[in-house]
Amino acid sequence: MTKRQDRQHKEAPALTRRGLFLGAAAGGLGAALPGAGHAGSAEPMTPAEAMSDAANPAMHLEYPFYSAADETAPQAGIETPPQRYTMFMSFDLTTRDPRDLQVLLARWSAAIGLLMKGRPVGQVEPERTAAVGLDTGEALDLGTAALTVTLGLGPRVFGPDFGLADKRPSHLRELETLPSDALRPGLRGGDLSLQACAEDPQVAYHAIRDLARIAKRTGAAATRWTQMGFGRASAGKGQETPRNLFGFRDGTRNIREAQDFNQHVWVENGPDWSHGGTYQVVRKIEMHIENWDNAQVSVQNAVFGRHKVTGAPLTGQHEFDAPDFARRDAAGSPVIPVDSHMRQMAHEENDGVKILRRSYNYTDGLNAVGRLDAGLLFVSYQNDPAHFERLQRRLGTSDALGEYVSHIGSGVFFVPPAPKEGSYIGAELFG
Amino acid sequence: MTKRQDRQHKEAPALTRRGLFLGAAAGGLGAALPGAGHAGSAEPMTPAEAMSDAANPAMHLEYPFYSAADETAPQAGIETPPQRYTMFMSFDLTTRDPRDLQVLLARWSAAIGLLMKGRPVGQVEPERTAAVGLDTGEALDLGTAALTVTLGLGPRVFGPDFGLADKRPSHLRELETLPSDALRPGLRGGDLSLQACAEDPQVAYHAIRDLARIAKRTGAAATRWTQMGFGRASAGKGQETPRNLFGFRDGTRNIREAQDFNQHVWVENGPDWSHGGTYQVVRKIEMHIENWDNAQVSVQNAVFGRHKVTGAPLTGQHEFDAPDFARRDAAGSPVIPVDSHMRQMAHEENDGVKILRRSYNYTDGLNAVGRLDAGLLFVSYQNDPAHFERLQRRLGTSDALGEYVSHIGSGVFFVPPAPKEGSYIGAELFG
């Protein structure tokens, strides 16, 4: 072989045995892996085939946007097992006319219904091409990718401008100032929120981009702040607990069961129309990962109250072992430190309060002094934002993790139930 | 059913028939889709299973970092069919001692070899936990994900400081100032480059983060500029042509065949050690997507010389139809406008010059005036950076696309061949 042929030969790596073995071991799905399916025929997938949308079942998942006529259902993107990627954006209302808000909610809902089916929000290339495209086109070939778009209404929607005060969800108000706050002016609040989650970030980006375009065209709302998340940092039922950028499993004790959703997430009081909705809290949390990386791992473990690699509580061996908050070491100190994150957040220590976390890792590249600029787009759902405040006030005061994080962005929104086919999110507010 | 049960019922969307049909149609892999494989047993995958690493064959792809003892091979990440995600970072050397550079290249190479096997660069949780972790841990459970890390050497490596001038690759020098330049001081240059590409962005981020840590610990280099890319905007052999954030297919005429790699990409002149390497040009290209979205699609089509949806040249019906640059319309004007991007870039109009493009879409969120801040991390490989300059000088002068883009970041690097097992990238420079 010539040197050139050698190079081309290197061009064709195959699915390794090790890779296939890992797949089979991790999910018991080995037999269904395309590579494994071809094993008998000695025709392994090419890398291009393995990387195609066709080979990844997650790219074909489709969630319903509308609820059935005879049920009240939450919007998708809350109970939904967290997809890998997110694009979050909040908006300021630029109108005082409730009809403008109504039109925007109706147009957004219609568009979200299309997007979640993998369809463009309108023609990409109109037949009369001397027109502006209604859809920007970058997701044309990408399929559904498990897209969900979740829409929230901020406190000002129910303020004096729009005459909707009597429809205000009981607990919707601005968040209190919290001890961890280092909020930046450009990353605060918003009157409306959109969170797109998907198995392809380009699908999520496209959804938010085209919804922001619709907002601009209606003249009802303008962009306020946004964040893309590149890795899920929360698990739903049946999912492995992912890791945050501190390298720790995040959310081992997160809500997963229906009874917890009913008890802690879905709203059951206040105006009728709000029942079955929930409150969304969004925090952009900067993580000082270079400082963190310089901390001893024993310190890191004490900060979380868990072992870094296994995720086990410091009193246990396995991730899901129940933490023993009472156990003390030979010196008489609690094995799970009093100021550890797990203990501070534990429902056992907070009158049973639980919140659903649905967060994402993000990076903003490098900061002004050349350090890695990264963190967590924290998103929680609960039936009262006071539950978030209670936990966060405690964390901000006495949590060992506080030294390594800054809360730089914040928003709170009420997320109405899903609309019925033919209607739109928040329709009950009007008429 | 009660209302609560209804909600839980909504919780369990299944792989839709539509989704499975699309999968089968797109890649002929329908029979190998896990969902389809389960069809007979009436046990569809749950969404959590469909979204797991186990179900996605791309997460198990593993590329070799080292070349075999008897061959010269390029580094991975050039011919490799583009993975979905990238993390690029450039570095400034902070030493004048060639031994420091040597140590850094050796340590980086060893670490990259581990990372591409899905292994941490060192212990995450040392047994002696009163130590700092060698690996930051956030990719521990994520597998190989087709990771490649490609390392480049900037012009200053061969400048007066290090005594390596006689080893300088023949064409390595700073890029000329180009008419499209709007370069920002913080996004220029760099003495070393690392580009991680993977099917999971957290795997790519982790690789760059831990390599940057190694650079800092050796004291040899400091971070300069970085960019994450969230969607591949170039295709390799066997891959569908993806779309950039203008919504157009990008790179239909990109290099795919071995003879083009040999003729246009791999270096065959200059010092022996540089043979089989290539030159990497990186440009951060801001795309004014909100302006673009307000342009008529007929204008957009004329700017690219292609139809937006199909990607066909304006003289053809299908994406891969050969463009007919000579054809004129009834009024006598070229159907593919003289200033269209495709025509300006065409090898037919540039003495046969071709470059390999391997670019990624990015977003930086919103800019200072609330507009979507997004663009293309353009990466090209060629056996002479002058080929890039030639094309870009022409584009910057007379390309219709120029109105909608700004080149804000730039770097040029020589990418040595892959090391042999037991050696490291650039070993031939020392000793």
Side-chain angles (χ1 to χ4, degrees), chain A residues 4 10 13 53 62-63 84 117 125 141 202 209 216 223 243 245 268 290 293 309 361 370, chain B residues 4 10 13 18 53 63 71 84 125 141 202 209 216 223 243 245 268 290 293 297 309 361 370:
Chain A
R4 283 178 190 170
K10 288 289 287 187
D53 285 0
E62 182 183 324
Y63 287 100
R84 287 172 190 260
K117 288 184 171 164
E125 193 172 348
D141 321 301
Q202 188 147 321
R209 175 185 183 179
K216 199 165 200 172
T223 56
R243 291 180 189 272
L245 293 180
E268 297 194 311
E290 292 201 29
D293 291 345
V309 171
N361 300 326
Chain B
R4 283 177 190 170
K10 288 288 287 187
R18 179 169 166 275
D53 285 2
Y63 288 98
E71 66 173 3
R84 288 174 191 259
E125 192 173 348
D141 321 302
Q202 188 147 321
R209 175 186 182 177
K216 199 165 200 170
T223 55
R243 292 179 187 271
L245 293 180
E268 298 193 311
E290 292 201 30
D293 291 346
V297 177
V309 171
N361 301 325

Side-chain angles (χ1 to χ4, degrees), chain A residues 12-77:
Chain A
L15 282 165
T16 61
R17 283 185 177 280
R18 177 168 168 277
L20 287 171
F21 175 75
L22 278 176
L29 296 162
L33 277 175
H38 285 231
S41 68
E43 271 194 77
M45 294 182 102
T46 65
E49 286 169 343
M51 294 193 290
S52 68
D53 285 0
N56 181 1
M59 301 303 264
H60 311 285
L61 279 172
E62 182 183 324
Y63 287 100
F65 172 62
Y66 295 102
S67 64
D70 60 349
E71 66 174 2
T72 297
Q75 288 185 51

Side-chain angles (χ1 to χ4, degrees), chain A residues 175-195:
Chain A
L175 291 178
E176 294 173 6
T177 299
L178 293 163
S180 52
D181 282 1
L183 303 182
R184 298 184 184 160
L187 300 176
R188 298 178 83 140
D191 301 324
L192 300 164
S193 76
L194 293 174
Q195 186 184 20

Side-chain angles (χ1 to χ4, degrees), chain A residues 376-411:
Chain A
L376 188 74
L377 183 72
F378 171 95
V379 182
S380 70
Y381 294 95
Q382 50 274 308
N383 53 24
D384 186 345
H387 298 166
F388 165 79
E389 288 170 330
R390 178 194 167 121
L391 295 173
Q392 191 51 42
R393 195 176 301 111
R394 181 163 179 167
L395 292 181
T397 311
S398 55
D399 182 36
L401 194 56
E403 189 182 333
Y404 299 97
V405 300
S406 304
H407 286 235
I408 61 174
S410 182

